[in-house]
Amino acid sequence: MSAPPGLPPLRPGYRPFPGPRRESAIPWRLVIVVGGLMPLVLFASLILMTPLPSGLFGGGSRQSCTDTSISDADVSSTAREDIPPDYLELYKKFGQEVGVQWNVLAAIGKRETDHGRSTLPGVKSGTNYAGAAGPMQFLISTWGGKPKIKMTEKVNGYASDGNGDGYADVYEPADAILGAARMLKRNGAPDDLRRALFVYNRATWYVDQVLEIARRYSATGDIGAPPEADPFCQPGYLDAATDEVVKKILEYALAQRGKPYRWGGTGPDAFDCSGIVYMAYRHAGLTIPRTTFEQWPFGVRIEPGSERPGDLVFFNAGPGTSIDRPGHVGLVVAPGKMVEARCARCGPIKVTTYRDRPNLVGFTRPLENEYVLAQLKRSMT
């Protein structure tokens, strides 16, 4: 294999090196879930602490969803100079609608076709050497089997109608950018961007280059997160909270999305699986055991199907675990959904599904433990 091309300068006239998208070409390796394993001797006994003021550990309460619009202040001067105005608006619009980072979409557009300015084969018509087409360089098979599809047809792919004309045209910028946003979302964005980009084009150097371009396009120099990373912009999760205590627990956990996993981490920059649960409860003024092994027997057992937001879901995963000693935990935020810090190689903290996960052991409700009930009673006096 030849060495990958270096990161290009961001200037008009740059001609990228489009590569194929083979979504099923390389099977994923088996990822071992390491969970939040900590030495059992740590925190062997529960110490009741004075309820902590909410907001002390981040994720503080706010009364309404923040403004979710993408302003000019979010766009760097490099982006404004390099991206055609019509493309910039499409990246912002569909990044907003789908819930992925606009600058990552723009970075793909730059890396693939210089925002449609490339004169290479496959950009305006036909396909390139790998069978990719359009400004976002979709494989025709990934798009839906043909370049232009009437939306009344059954579509098996990412074909999208971004301009509302009733057709999904891989060469139409609005359609292609919307399709790319949906593809990223389907494969892990906005939280696990490396995975989503690797599915888009299976090369680690490609992922690195796209993320670097995305940073240049951001006014802050960061990848950033779309509005959905703000838990108050996902009222479905918080509205499902049974009371203010549960709402505070969910509020904290959801606000940590996008941060990395770190064994033994309790924030504020990184967490392990039990660490984020522990700190979410502390945010609500409650103390529960620190480790997964201690959290499992602590809460009241809940029958599958009766779990609700704020409950914990456990898995027989990680070294030294068993069916009676689960080593991984997630925080239920909605039916079938949990916030979890899974493992160092599993991407950042995010909302995932648990019902289709292997090795699910069971559910517990820490809020019905007698010690937690005592803490709640004291907090109300």
Side-chain angles (χ1 to χ4, degrees):
M1 177 181 291
S2 60
L7 183 65
L10 299 185
R11 63 176 185 273
Y14 157 63
R15 293 297 176 258
F17 302 84
R21 236 82 55 227
R22 297 187 180 93
E23 190 165 359
S24 60
I26 301 177
W28 289 101
R29 298 175 181 175
L30 178 64
V31 178
I32 300 175
V33 181
V34 297
L37 187 62
M38 293 285 287
L40 186 59
V41 295
L42 294 178
F43 302 98
S45 60
L46 176 68
I47 302 175
L48 295 179
M49 299 175 63
T50 302
L52 298 166
S54 63
L56 184 60
F57 299 99
S61 297
R62 282 167 287 180
Q63 296 302 313
S64 62
C65 179
T66 55
D67 180 11
T68 63
S69 61
I70 300 171
S71 69
D72 289 340
D74 300 314
V75 182
S76 70
S77 58
T78 298
R80 287 194 293 271
E81 293 168 2
D82 190 56
I83 304 173
D86 54 340
Y87 271 73
L88 178 58
E89 290 309 308
L90 290 173
Y91 295 135
K92 292 163 64 176
K93 174 183 177 181
F94 293 123
Q96 184 85 18
E97 286 185 9
V98 177
V100 300
Q101 292 88 339
W102 74 268
N103 51 328
V104 174
L105 273 178
I108 292 173
K110 177 67 177 181
R111 186 65 188 79
E112 296 292 351
T113 67
D114 194 22
H115 310 299
R117 291 182 291 225
S118 173
T119 57
L120 293 173
V123 178
K124 301 292 194 304
S125 63
T127 63
N128 71 357
Y129 68 94
M136 303 303 278
Q137 291 290 276
F138 272 96
L139 290 178
I140 296 300
S141 58
T142 304
W143 182 252
K146 54 185 178 181
K148 189 171 183 178
I149 302 170
K150 194 169 184 177
M151 293 309 294
T152 55
E153 301 178 31
K154 182 178 180 180
V155 178
N156 184 22
Y158 293 101
S160 302
D161 179 14
N163 63 358
D165 67 354
Y167 289 88
D169 186 345
V170 75
Y171 304 107
E172 164 58 44
D175 296 356
I177 292 169
L178 175 56
R182 289 173 171 171
M183 186 172 180
L184 291 178
K185 183 74 170 182
R186 169 66 178 79
N187 291 292
D191 298 314
D192 196 348
L193 282 175
R194 295 198 68 87
R195 179 185 185 278
L197 289 169
F198 190 80
V199 172
Y200 202 92
N201 193 336
R202 294 182 181 277
T204 54
W205 57 261
Y206 177 90
V207 174
D208 292 339
Q209 289 190 3
V210 168
L211 291 177
E212 178 57 31
I213 295 170
R215 292 186 183 95
R216 297 186 194 181
Y217 282 163
S218 168
T220 63
D222 297 324
I223 296 299
E228 72 164 12
D230 181 348
F232 285 90
C233 294
Q234 289 190 328
Y237 290 145
L238 294 182
D239 288 350
T242 54
D243 55 38
E244 286 302 311
V245 172
V246 174
K247 192 170 185 177
K248 287 182 179 179
I249 292 169
L250 301 190
E251 170 193 319
Y252 181 92
L254 289 166
Q256 311 316 310
R257 286 175 298 169
K259 295 182 180 180
Y261 173 95
R262 182 181 300 143
W263 188 85
T266 54
D269 300 321
F271 300 80
D272 67 14
C273 67
S274 56
I276 190 171
V277 170
Y278 173 71
M279 294 304 292
Y281 271 77
R282 288 191 71 183
H283 175 69
L286 302 171
T287 301
I288 65 171
R290 164 65 183 88
T291 70
T292 307
F293 291 149
E294 294 174 305
Q295 290 172 359
W296 168 242
F298 180 78
V300 173
R301 299 288 175 87
I302 301 299
E303 288 296 318
S306 62
E307 69 273 10
R308 62 194 188 205
D311 292 344
L312 307 186
V313 52
F314 292 85
F315 303 86
N316 177 18
T321 71
S322 67
I323 192 68
D324 297 318
R325 195 168 182 261
H328 182 59
V329 63
L331 176 69
V332 176
V333 296
K337 298 287 187 180
M338 64 178 171
V339 170
E340 68 168 338
R342 190 169 182 181
C343 74
R345 297 179 60 189
C346 302
I349 295 166
K350 52 184 171 289
V351 174
T352 61
T353 61
Y354 58 76
R355 286 177 177 163
D356 59 350
R357 287 272 286 275
N359 302 325
L360 194 156
V361 172
F363 303 87
T364 70
R365 186 166 295 154
L367 290 173
E368 292 187 1
N369 177 280
E370 60 180 307
Y371 296 105
V372 173
L373 291 172
Q375 293 177 68
L376 290 169
K377 185 177 181 180
R378 285 201 306 272
S379 69
M380 293 186 291
T381 59

